[in-house]
Amino acid sequence: MSEAKHSTYSYFPGCTLRNKALDLDRYARSSAEALGFTLEEIPDWQCCGGTYPLAKDEIATKLSSVRALAAARDAKQDLVTICSACHNVIKQINNDMQTDDNIILKVNNYLKEDKIAYHGETKVLHYLEVLRDVVGWDTVKAKVTHPLTGKKIGAYYGCLLLRPGKVMQMDDPENPKILEDFITAIGATPVMYSQRNECCGAYTVFEDKTIPQKRSEKILANAEEQGADLLVTACPLCRYNLVKNKGKSRLDIVYFTELLAEALGVKDKVPVGMEAAYAAK
Amino acid sequence: MLQSELNKIRDDILSISGVNPRKCMCCGKCSGTCPSYDEMEYHPHEFVHMVETGDIEALLSTKSIYKCLSCFACIERCPRQVEPAKLVEAVRMVVERQRGPQHLEAENVPEQLDDDMPQQAVVSAFRKYRK
């Protein structure tokens, strides 16, 4: 959105970043302060549902995302997400609200009661896109005080950050480099491995733990063979599945924001306005 | 099930998914790239073929509809933009909407939880294993 103030963003943390993935949220906020942009949490945001509703006649399951998108539009801000699932769901629903007349009509009919009319005006950015496209890798590099020199890091994209590529438009879905560029910017060495954009098994962990187990073992073995010391991810469920199925693998699996905060020297800093949530840590 | 009922369900599947299975050129790339291939009785290319030919009764009772990870690999990599995962999802929706009990009941959630499980897993499972 052209009139958007690029230093302040509407921020949709999502259910997991305010619960089990506090580190992903906390280090994103403190790193944003260090890099000079502000994340303003959308008031009363509602969970995105975790999985994009693929069925064309699913309307109610899209409303929470549209409410967040409309709130960002009304604040004249771009909408920033960090969790891969939130990003995937909200960006795909924003695309529906730009392109699918049937969904646009029915969603807006539902939202009349909330006095919301929305037609896909908001720009949705992943935190990594803010780093790449607004802050810039050179600036990130310049602000690094504790470079992770010598660390060999595998980027684990998983599925939701990149696909479907035509809608997500973050990077080349089959040959991405945004996380590798991130790893380079914080002073570490990216390690390439073929499983970096294949699925971890996702929510099937809820029903059949052998699916994420088989997937995770394959991903970890592949990254280890290629020489990685650790993996970075933006997705709490990827991290959960990989950590739970680590077995004898030497790899740690960490959120990209934790490494960013470490490199920027702000890992111990409590983000402004978040004292109650993070002071105890 | 009567053929007329099956035809009606097939129409529902096509309309819910928005997929045109006739675009498929049978290259098999969707199943070749599917990370859940080994878990499935019917594979992505078979969903496309069976919906296209109206042979859908077996799809309505297969557990394969709960094995799709919604990872968008087949959607991304299909050279003809058929988007097989949308068919798998549409069959799942038809099944879930018809049945009484849900595939996942709320009272069965606590036994699946551990201290680290992200909320994301719970909400995603609710979306994929229920109406």
Side-chain angles (χ1 to χ4, degrees):
Chain A
M1 189 186 274
S2 56
E3 75 266 40
K5 287 185 290 172
H6 280 304
S7 55
T8 304
Y9 297 93
S10 284
Y11 171 43
F12 184 94
C15 60
T16 311
L17 276 77
R18 301 308 306 276
N19 289 287
K20 297 291 181 192
L22 289 175
D23 284 354
L24 186 52
D25 173 79
R26 173 195 174 132
Y27 297 128
R29 290 176 192 261
S30 41
S31 299
E33 286 169 16
L35 292 168
F37 65 96
T38 308
L39 300 175
E40 269 181 14
E41 188 166 333
I42 293 172
D44 303 323
W45 55 265
Q46 302 163 332
C47 172
C48 73
T51 308
Y52 170 69
L54 277 168
K56 289 207 161 290
D57 61 349
E58 280 283 308
I59 302 299
T61 41
K62 296 189 165 83
L63 299 180
S64 60
S65 295
V66 177
R67 289 193 181 100
L69 287 160
R73 190 253 336 254
D74 295 345
K76 296 190 167 30
Q77 292 168 349
D78 294 342
L79 175 60
V80 168
T81 56
I82 300 172
C83 167
S84 301
C86 297
H87 188 65
N88 189 280
V89 172
I90 293 176
K91 190 133 189 192
Q92 291 212 66
I93 290 175
N94 203 34
N95 179 62
D96 287 337
M97 295 304 292
Q98 292 163 347
T99 58
D100 190 315
D101 289 339
N102 181 49
I103 292 174
I104 294 169
L105 175 72
K106 288 181 177 164
V107 164
N108 279 310
N109 281 344
Y110 264 102
L111 292 176
K112 269 183 190 154
E113 223 169 286
D114 300 7
K115 299 194 169 42
I116 292 173
Y118 184 75
H119 294 85
E121 297 93 336
T122 299
K123 185 173 180 186
V124 182
L125 290 172
H126 191 272
Y127 192 96
L128 284 165
E129 293 177 300
V130 177
L131 297 183
R132 180 189 64 191
D133 302 334
V134 184
V135 178
W137 297 128
D138 288 344
T139 306
V140 174
K141 216 175 280 179
K143 297 215 173 182
V144 166
T145 54
H146 299 69
L148 280 75
T149 313
K151 277 240 193 285
K152 292 185 193 156
I153 303 178
Y156 183 57
Y157 290 90
C159 45
L160 297 176
L161 268 187
L162 301 168
R163 294 194 290 263
K166 260 191 294 185
V167 179
M168 300 312 291
Q169 293 184 4
M170 178 189 270
D171 208 341
D172 180 338
E174 301 298 359
N175 191 21
K177 64 189 198 89
I178 188 166
L179 270 172
E180 281 78 8
D181 288 346
F182 166 77
I183 291 164
T184 305
I186 57 172
T189 307
V191 174
M192 299 293 270
Y193 63 106
S194 62
Q195 288 284 319
R196 67 196 169 123
N197 63 340
E198 301 298 339
C199 183
C200 70
Y203 50 82
T204 54
V205 68
F206 221 78
E207 176 161 274
D208 180 354
K209 299 200 185 320
T210 66
I211 299 177
Q213 186 190 345
K214 283 183 249 176
R215 291 296 317 140
S216 299
E217 284 170 357
K218 200 164 181 181
I219 293 158
L220 289 164
N222 179 222
E224 204 167 323
E225 268 166 29
Q226 297 305 315
D229 300 321
L230 74 159
L231 297 184
V232 280
T233 176
C235 180
L237 187 47
C238 291
R239 179 163 187 275
Y240 174 84
N241 280 334
L242 293 173
V243 169
K244 284 285 163 186
N245 296 296
K246 220 166 99 104
K248 290 191 179 118
S249 171
R250 67 161 189 265
L251 298 182
D252 282 329
I253 301 100
V254 297
Y255 292 128
F256 77 98
T257 56
E258 182 172 349
L259 294 187
L260 179 59
E262 193 179 326
L264 295 171
V266 295
K267 214 173 157 182
D268 297 326
K269 215 173 150 237
V270 178
V272 175
M274 298 303 289
E275 291 78 5
Y278 295 127
K281 294 200 73 176
Chain B
M1 210 179 274
L2 292 172
Q3 193 55 47
S4 59
E5 287 176 69
L6 289 171
N7 291 344
K8 162 81 177 63
I9 294 173
R10 179 179 179 268
D11 289 347
D12 284 349
I13 291 168
L14 291 175
S15 113
I16 292 171
S17 66
V19 166
N20 175 8
R22 302 194 73 174
K23 289 200 295 190
C24 173
M25 62 181 190
C26 306
C27 72
K29 199 166 185 178
C30 50
S31 291
T33 198
C34 177
S36 240
Y37 182 89
D38 292 344
E39 319 296 333
M40 290 176 141
E41 175 188 10
Y42 297 106
H43 303 98
H45 76 282
E46 289 168 297
F47 274 80
V48 177
H49 182 70
M50 290 161 85
V51 172
E52 159 64 5
T53 56
D55 177 21
I56 59 166
E57 201 156 10
L59 294 181
L60 300 175
S61 57
T62 181
K63 293 270 176 273
S64 303
I65 55 176
Y66 303 111
K67 305 299 181 188
C68 168
L69 305 172
S70 284
C71 75
F72 302 100
C74 62
I75 288 181
E76 186 69 50
R77 292 165 188 163
C78 173
R80 300 272 293 167
Q81 289 84 47
V82 176
E83 308 190 315
K86 292 187 176 175
L87 278 183
V88 180
E89 176 77 352
V91 175
R92 188 187 69 79
M93 293 309 291
V94 164
V95 172
E96 288 294 315
R97 287 170 184 175
Q98 277 184 347
R99 74 157 88 224
Q102 310 252 17
H103 186 67
L104 172 68
E105 295 293 348
E107 56 264 34
N108 297 331
V109 167
E111 69 195 55
Q112 298 297 333
L113 301 179
D114 61 41
D115 287 348
D116 307 315
M117 184 172 286
Q119 284 68 28
Q120 182 192 350
V122 184
V123 296
S124 299
F126 252 64
R127 191 161 272 184
K128 299 300 286 191
Y129 296 146
R130 295 169 66 87
K131 290 191 212 347

